[in-house]
Each structure stands twice: as C-alpha cells, then as structure tokens.
Amino acid sequence: MNNFCDFDDREGIMNNYKVILLLVCLGWMSTLSGCAQGPSRTQKLAESEVKELPIPAAFKDKVQVEFALGRVVKTYDDVAWIGTDAAYAAGYKPKPGITGGYVVEALSDDVNGSYQLVFINELNGKPMATAFAQVKHDSGMGHVLGAKVLDPPQELSTQASLMYQALMAAKGAQDLKLCKATYNTVVFPYVDSGKTEYRIYFLMSTEKKGEIPIGGHVLVRVADDAKTILEVEPLSKSCGIQEGGDDPRIAAFEFTNLALDSPSAAQVFLMYRYEKPVYVITKNGFLWGIDSRGIRLLSAGDNKQ
C-alpha cells in the first residue's frame, strides 16, 4: 500500500517527504498513517516557509476555469451514478451487443439545478433514447425526481443528439490512448471565447475498494459540429492508482503530474469526489493545493517559484 510515508518512484506518488512533513505540521493534513509527528526543526521550518503564493498571471485565469470545470464534471458524474441506479430500479436493462451509451442533459443553467440522464441505443443505425432518469443536484450527489424505461424508444432531443455524436467522435479519435481500465465518461457543451464546443472527459475508474485513480484521465475537445476533434489532451502521463481512499486517517492526497503545468478539472474532480484536499506537484515544479476554496499555489521549503 502506498501512503504518505511509503512512496515509490512512479508518477502519481509524490516522493518529496520534506514537503509532506511541512504540510502536516502546518495542520493542513491531520494524522496520516503515523506520519503526523515531525521533528521540531521541521515544524519551525513549516511555520516559516510554507505559505500561499500569488498565482502568476499566466495561470490565474486557467486555474479558475479548471476549478469551475471540476465542479461541473463532478455534478455530471453524480447524476450519471444515481440516475443509473434509478433507471435500473425502474426496470432498465442494457442490451448487450448494441452500440450505445449515455449523456446527461442540463435542464437549467444552474449547476445545482435539474439534469436528465439519457440512455441511448443505436437502433437500425439511429441513436434513440431507451430510458431516462431526472435528478435534482441540490445537495450531496443529488436526489432522483423520477426514472422511466422508454418502450418504444424515443427520439433524442437536439442537445442529447449532439452530445452523443460528440461522445462517439471522441471515442473514435485517432490520438485517444486510454489505460487498460474501466472508464466513465462526462460530456457537456462548453463556450470558449464565444465559441461552443463539447468537452468529453474520460475518467479512469476502479471497482476495488480504497483505490483512487489519480492518473489515466483524458480530455477530448470536439467542435460545435459534434464531429471535428479539436484536441486530445492526456491529463497525466501514467495510469496511476493510489490506495487509501477509504482510510479515515488520510486527510489529503498528494501526487506529482508530469503532463501539466497547473491542475486540471480532473484533479479538482478527485477533490470533490473523495471530499479531501489534493496536493499536486506539476511538471514545472510548482506545488498546488486544491480544496473547496479553490486552487492555490503553495511554497514549501525548496519548492518555490
């Protein structure tokens, strides 16, 4: 098991023990598997050298956007989770061997508003809605408003149709390289500089209790025609799994990321998903902290701008 005292050299497990002790002694993390008691010299160093830094102009807007996107990703993922349970309880059964998937439609402009999870099967070459669940995302993971199996299947709304087309385009992108693992997908329309596009997050998942997929996530951007691939961006360079997600003694997660210069929405999603702060060292050597307040740039000992 990899915890904050037991590191290896792979990407995804931070081996800067000094930084960890500094953060622990500052009280930003609580007891971490026996690591909480550092020497008094380290505590004095922590008090004087660990601090929040001003975010450089080159990153300021980006980290604000990524933090907001991380919340959106978490919301859509929540709706997919509890909406799936509701649809199954209503009698929905996926048909093996039939191409399909699901998308989540926003029914309002409020991130804490109502959403509709739509299950889609391609019948005679045409995507059709086969079941849906409506979810109000007002607290926690939200609550189900209703679910229904559609017999016969129904036409997709314009929004759901475009999102599904964008999802299929992303899955077929030539540069898309995924880990040998199960993936959940999140797709939503996004307006960037006045232009609409679709953002598709491929989120590596695991069914093993306590494991946290800290790597393997990929973002694919698709143009407003729902066909043209704009960018395939790996959000890490490894398929890293970290243990301890269900360990109450671990109060935060730390890892390195050699693919990015600043945190991504996927790392913000992890913070929301596991309800614990995340600390990440990016490829430029910056130490970032992510919690419910936002993304912060930190200084710890030798790890400065």
Side-chain angles (χ1 to χ4, degrees), residues 21 26-27 30 44 69 72 76 84 89 99 108 111 119 121 126 130 176 182 191 193-194 200 203 208 283 287:
L21 284 178
L26 260 188
S30 60
K44 292 178 181 179
L69 286 173
V72 173
Y76 276 65
T84 296
T99 301
S108 71
V111 70
F119 286 93
N121 284 340
K126 184 177 181 179
T130 53
L176 179 64
T182 301
V191 179
S193 301
I200 298 90
L203 303 173
K208 187 175 179 180
K283 68 179 182 179
L287 171 63

Side-chain angles (χ1 to χ4, degrees), residues 101-124:
Y102 64 85
V103 297
V104 173
E105 294 183 89
L107 302 180
S108 71
D109 294 331
D110 183 1
V111 70
N112 289 324
S114 298
Y115 297 82
Q116 181 163 273
L117 171 67
V118 184
F119 286 93
I120 302 167
N121 284 340
E122 293 193 17
L123 305 175
N124 298 320

Side-chain angles (χ1 to χ4, degrees), residues 166-167 170 185-187 198-202 218-222:
L167 175 61
T185 56
V186 168
V187 52
Y198 294 91
R199 297 209 166 189
I200 298 90
Y201 288 86
F202 291 84
V218 181
L219 166 64
V220 180
R221 296 171 52 229
V222 178

Side-chain angles (χ1 to χ4, degrees), residues 117-164:
L117 171 67
V118 184
F119 286 93
I120 302 167
N121 284 340
E122 293 193 17
L123 305 175
N124 298 320
K126 184 177 181 179
M128 300 288 287
T130 53
F132 74 87
Q134 289 190 352
V135 175
K136 175 73 171 178
H137 195 269
D138 48 359
S139 62
M141 293 183 69
H143 67 274
V144 176
L145 300 175
K148 184 178 181 180
V149 176
L150 301 174
D151 188 15
Q154 297 180 3
E155 298 271 350
L156 295 176
S157 68
T158 300
Q159 182 185 41
S161 179
L162 288 170
M163 291 168 66
Y164 179 74

Side-chain angles (χ1 to χ4, degrees), residues 259-270:
L260 305 174
D261 286 323
S262 58
S264 72
Q267 289 150 1
V268 177
F269 164 75
L270 289 178

